[in-house]
Amino acid sequence: MHISNPEEAGWLKERIETRLAFAMPDLGLRFADLTLTVSKDWQPSLHLTEVSLTPLGSGDPVTLSDVTGSFDRQAMLNGQLRPRAITIAGASIHLNRAADGTFGVALGEAAERTETGGTAPEIGQNLTSLSALLDTPSFSALRQIEGTGLTMRYEDHRSGRAWTVDGGHLVLSRDGDQLGLRGDFSLLGGHAYATTVEIGLEGAMYSRAVALSLKVEDAPARDIATQSAGLAWLGVLDAPISGAIRVATGEDGTIGPLNGTLQIGAGALAPDETGDPVPFQSARSYFQYDPATLSLRFDELSVKSAWVEATADGRIVLDRIEGGIPGAMTGQLRLSELVANPAGIYPNPLFLAGAEPEMRVELNPFRLEVGRPDIR
């Protein structure tokens, strides 16, 4: 059964607006049209267009082109609107990272204003507001919010970079007090390949302790390098990267160790975008970054190129952290399975059992110092 004719739906629209105003006294809601559908098993759902949501007294309106919700049947028969699942289409999301590293997120018109210099509310504030909303009787049955066709913009004031994506997809789910967020999107940049990103977030109601997972496919190394001190070493590469990164935050927002598994495609070692890059066919890395000790531990770092093939492990300590990015790194790597022929100067490659060089890397400008190579 469908009710979508304006004359038939007028009274229903008025009744629904009244019910929603009663159920959500702190949230103003307006919409242009609605379609009521009742399935064969009497499951009711509403489709609203040109929806405007406004937190009364303080917030900016969030404009959504399309909202569909399925509702708790028994509650609806008792005159209560309690959504079980909501699907949103055509929303704008603005995510930014301030110079101090804190993240903020805004929706709708507030998102548009942040693009002209405004500040998005801090993520912890948004999580608290979301938890409070889900705790109300009107949303006690809500188990999933899905967003499709999303426009997302990420502005990173720390690195001075910005990215925009259309056609994003996000799903927020609730199971008791546990919250989960899953999303995927693709990004076209100034490269011959498209970057795809999958994000996962696990947490609890009213908690700032979250576990974040990120999977990327063909992301430019220099873009990845700007997002963490533990990833800054990737900034000397001009290559696409695929892999997974996992990190968790504590209840106080403190960031824990970052674990990464990266596959690096064909590219070049090109620090400072030098005009004389060193090409390689592939590389991979398994590593952990501990922000408490500012140290990187490589369980494996391998590279394959015409100049050198090697596998290494070891520990690097970051130095001179400014704006979340190190200016230098010092440590020691244990190289094994080493085959070298730099610049093709030897008639046959050199085969070495291994080496344990101590090194210091200055990142800006790039400078590599190697001491006590201990070649075997």
Side-chain angles (χ1 to χ4, degrees):
M1 180 179 71
H2 299 271
I3 298 177
S4 57
N5 183 281
E7 295 182 1
E8 296 176 342
W11 66 270
L12 184 59
K13 176 178 183 293
E14 184 177 330
R15 290 285 299 273
I16 289 175
E17 284 184 335
T18 301
R19 288 289 184 182
L20 289 173
F22 177 77
M24 299 177 290
D26 296 326
L27 185 67
L29 182 146
R30 293 291 182 270
F31 55 89
D33 295 298
L34 67 84
T35 300
L36 171 63
T37 302
V38 180
S39 65
K40 291 181 179 180
D41 60 352
W42 297 98
Q43 175 61 52
S45 65
L46 285 176
H47 177 207
L48 309 179
T49 61
E50 298 180 31
V51 179
S52 177
L53 299 171
T54 307
L56 299 182
S58 59
D60 295 290
V62 176
T63 303
L64 308 170
S65 63
D66 215 285
V67 177
T68 300
S70 63
F71 291 81
D72 184 286
R73 180 174 55 193
Q74 188 59 47
M76 203 167 191
L77 291 175
N78 294 330
Q80 300 172 330
L81 291 176
R82 295 188 176 182
R84 298 178 61 86
I86 297 174
T87 300
I88 298 169
S92 297
I93 301 175
H94 188 99
L95 177 68
N96 67 23
R97 180 169 68 163
D100 64 0
T102 58
F103 284 90
V105 64
L107 303 175
E109 292 182 18
E112 296 171 5
R113 193 176 64 252
T114 61
E115 296 182 13
T116 59
T119 301
E122 194 265 332
I123 282 183
Q125 177 184 341
N126 281 280
L127 289 175
T128 299
S129 299
L130 175 63
S131 297
L133 179 66
L134 296 177
D135 247 354
T136 62
S138 298
F139 290 94
S140 59
L142 184 60
R143 293 297 175 263
Q144 178 176 293
I145 302 174
E146 181 176 10
T148 63
L150 304 176
T151 298
M152 293 180 284
R153 180 169 176 81
Y154 172 38
E155 288 192 2
D156 185 3
H157 297 287
R158 173 174 281 183
S159 67
R161 306 285 298 279
W163 297 266
T164 301
V165 59
D166 291 321
H169 178 232
L170 289 172
V171 177
L172 174 69
S173 58
R174 178 187 180 185
D175 183 5
D177 287 337
Q178 298 302 304
L179 299 176
L181 179 69
R182 293 288 181 270
D184 58 81
F185 54 90
S186 61
L187 174 67
L188 293 175
H191 303 275
Y193 48 85
T195 299
T196 61
V197 179
E198 296 181 17
I199 186 172
L201 196 69
E202 301 289 343
M205 298 270 285
Y206 297 105
S207 175
R208 297 190 66 184
V210 297
L212 171 68
S213 62
L214 189 70
K215 293 179 64 177
V216 298
E217 190 78 25
D218 292 333
R222 290 195 174 97
D223 286 355
I224 297 294
T226 63
Q227 297 309 297
S228 168
L231 299 170
W233 57 280
L234 296 169
V236 300
L237 304 180
D238 181 11
I241 290 178
S242 301
I245 295 169
R246 301 176 305 280
V247 67
T249 64
E251 191 63 52
D252 60 354
T254 301
I255 298 176
L258 181 152
N259 295 277
T261 301
L262 302 178
Q263 301 289 332
I264 304 171
L269 176 67
D272 305 322
E273 299 187 15
T274 178
D276 190 22
V278 179
F280 58 83
Q281 281 85 49
S282 64
R284 68 174 181 267
S285 176
Y286 305 98
F287 69 95
Q288 182 183 84
Y289 170 62
D290 186 352
T293 59
L294 299 178
S295 63
L296 273 165
R297 189 189 75 233
F298 290 98
D299 296 316
E300 180 182 339
L301 178 61
S302 63
V303 62
K304 180 178 181 181
S305 74
W307 285 24
V308 64
E309 293 185 28
T311 300
D313 63 87
R315 183 173 180 270
I316 301 291
V317 177
L318 309 186
D319 191 17
R320 302 207 319 264
I321 306 288
E322 293 185 12
I325 300 299
M329 301 185 294
T330 305
Q332 185 177 39
L333 295 177
R334 292 181 295 273
L335 300 169
S336 59
E337 304 176 19
L338 181 61
V339 181
N341 193 1
I345 61 176
Y346 301 113
N348 296 300
L350 299 177
F351 292 86
L352 303 173
E356 295 187 17
E358 294 179 347
M359 62 183 66
R360 178 174 176 80
V361 180
E362 298 282 343
L363 294 175
N364 189 22
F366 183 81
R367 179 183 174 86
L368 173 62
E369 299 176 0
V370 179
R372 199 178 71 82
D374 191 16
I375 297 175
R376 299 188 298 279

